[in-house]
């Protein structure tokens, strides 16, 4: 049962929304000293305007592994959903232990003014920890 699983706190794993010449992309960065394995990422957008609720499709991504100090592309993202909450639910294993965390980019947080240089990607992005 889920209550019997020990979910240790996530440390040194980040989701980044970055911009390059092709557009916006979402990456997973591993700043741990250990390899992340069997990574499952569920992404979705949700929110509401003054008149209606909005949501995107839920997408699921499987990444076999991310080595220490490396990164992996999760998905491209269209700027037309930046007015929504953009949620990335990341689950992975390190040495057989499961880790799990939701990373939520709140509405309108993905903007040029919030970009910082992300060393691993060698591009600018918004880092969520």
């Amino acid at each position: 049962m889920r209550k019997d699983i020990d979910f240790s706190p996530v440390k040194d794993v980040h989701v980044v929304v970055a911009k390059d010449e092709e557009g916006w992309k979402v990456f997973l960065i591993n700043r741990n000293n250990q390899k992340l394995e069997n990574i499952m990422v569920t992404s979705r957008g949700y929110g509401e305007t003054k008149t209606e609720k909005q949501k995107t499709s839920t997408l699921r991504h499987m990444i076999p592994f991310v080595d220490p100090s490396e990164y992996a592309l999760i998905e491209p993202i269209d700027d037309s959903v930046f007015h929504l909450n953009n949620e990335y639910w990341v689950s992975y294993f390190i040495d057989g232990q499961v880790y799990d965390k939701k990373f939520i980019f709140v509405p309108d947080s993905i903007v040029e003014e919030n970009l910082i240089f992300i060393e691993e990607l060698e591009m600018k992005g918004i880092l969520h920890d």
Side-chain angles (χ1 to χ4, degrees):
M1 298 191 109
R2 185 169 167 85
K3 67 179 178 71
D4 297 325
I5 299 173
D6 175 26
F7 287 98
S8 299
V10 170
K11 295 179 186 170
D12 299 322
V13 173
H14 307 277
V15 173
V16 174
V17 177
K19 186 177 183 184
D20 65 12
E21 62 279 348
E22 297 173 10
W24 293 90
K25 296 177 181 159
V26 183
F27 295 91
L28 179 72
I29 296 179
N30 178 13
R31 291 182 174 167
N32 280 293
N33 294 327
Q34 298 158 311
K35 180 195 295 190
L36 309 181
E37 298 180 304
N38 297 322
I39 306 151
M40 173 63 85
V41 181
T42 302
S43 64
R44 68 185 186 119
Y46 58 91
E48 55 186 82
T49 63
K50 293 179 182 176
T51 59
E52 66 181 347
K53 290 186 178 186
Q54 293 182 310
K55 66 178 182 174
T56 67
S57 299
T58 299
L59 302 175
R60 290 172 181 79
H61 309 278
M62 182 65 185
I63 303 168
F65 65 90
V66 177
D67 285 324
S69 303
E70 293 293 328
Y71 64 89
L73 175 67
I74 296 173
E75 66 183 8
I77 186 171
D78 192 273
D79 59 3
S80 67
V81 298
F82 290 172
H83 69 285
L84 300 172
N85 290 294
N86 286 282
E87 176 185 287
Y88 294 87
W89 190 349
V90 179
S91 299
Y92 59 91
F93 289 86
I94 295 177
D95 293 331
Q97 172 65 47
V98 67
Y99 294 82
D100 187 54
K101 182 174 181 178
K102 285 184 186 178
F103 298 85
I104 301 173
F105 293 88
V106 297
D108 300 317
S109 64
I110 306 171
V111 293
E112 299 273 344
E113 300 83 54
N114 292 340
L115 296 177
I116 60 170
F117 185 74
I118 310 296
E119 188 174 333
E120 292 90 345
L121 303 175
E122 296 184 359
M123 65 177 79
K124 290 187 174 184
I126 293 121
L127 180 87
H128 195 310
D129 55 352

